Amino acid sequence: MDLIASYWEEFQKANPEYAKANRPPSFYYCDNQPDADECAELVVKGIKRATSPSLWGLEKNQEPLPQVGDLAIVTNWVGTPKAIVRTVKVEIVAFREIAAEYAYHEGEGDRSLAYWKQVHWAYYTNEMAPFGEFPDEGMPIVCEYFERIG
């Protein structure tokens, strides 16, 4: 049995209310190992409580919008499960309108809006570059708030 399946089964045993739930998707945050591993640890510590995919990226990858109640298994870069999260709120906000409070909930770096904008602009730029596209201040960002449940 793989690590993800084992992790999910142990979670279900400890949380009988999820006994009949299908195993949720698993993923890591970010596009490089140091950031992915750090973000996973921030989730474990309860510091990172939000994530910000671009609507462009979800559409380009044919991924659904997150919904309240969605579950996910957060892993580190190499796929080791670290936490289970449940989506509690989803908003679509223009990049330029991201609030300092949201950046704080995302929990990365010094948790400031300036830091959030800097690292996310770089991420969206890297995400879009292979398609010859570029981020802009008005681009829609999916602000997904979550809570760690396992």
Side-chain angles (χ1 to χ4, degrees):
M1 181 179 296
D2 70 40
L3 283 175
I4 301 290
S6 297
Y7 192 83
W8 177 245
E9 285 185 11
E10 289 301 313
F11 173 78
Q12 288 179 303
K13 287 177 191 172
N15 299 275
E17 66 271 30
Y18 294 98
K20 295 184 189 238
N22 292 328
R23 186 173 83 189
S26 61
F27 58 83
Y28 53 82
Y29 297 109
C30 304
D31 58 3
N32 64 79
Q33 185 168 1
D35 290 343
D37 292 351
E38 180 181 354
C39 283
E41 289 306 314
L42 291 172
V43 171
V44 169
K45 294 175 181 174
I47 295 169
K48 180 172 180 59
R49 295 175 288 132
T51 190
S52 310
S54 67
L55 184 58
W56 178 94
L58 292 179
E59 290 172 349
K60 190 61 82 174
N61 294 304
Q62 299 179 345
E63 295 176 20
L65 273 174
Q67 303 293 316
V68 171
D70 284 354
L71 301 178
I73 300 171
V74 177
T75 72
N76 64 10
W77 183 260
V78 298
T80 304
K82 295 293 187 176
I84 298 173
V85 297
R86 178 178 49 222
T87 302
V88 297
K89 181 179 177 181
V90 179
E91 299 177 310
I92 298 177
V93 179
F95 183 90
R96 75 169 71 81
E97 295 173 10
I98 297 293
E101 179 182 359
Y102 178 77
Y104 183 83
H105 286 294
E106 185 140 338
E108 298 172 26
D110 65 4
R111 300 176 86 171
S112 70
L113 181 58
Y115 179 88
W116 186 95
K117 285 191 170 196
Q118 177 187 359
V119 299
H120 284 81
W121 190 265
Y123 176 84
Y124 302 137
T125 299
N126 290 340
E127 176 182 50
M128 298 172 95
F131 301 94
E133 298 186 45
F134 304 94
D136 66 70
E137 289 283 325
M139 70 183 284
I141 305 303
V142 180
C143 298
E144 179 182 2
Y145 296 81
F146 57 80
E147 61 184 355
R148 179 176 178 227
I149 60 170

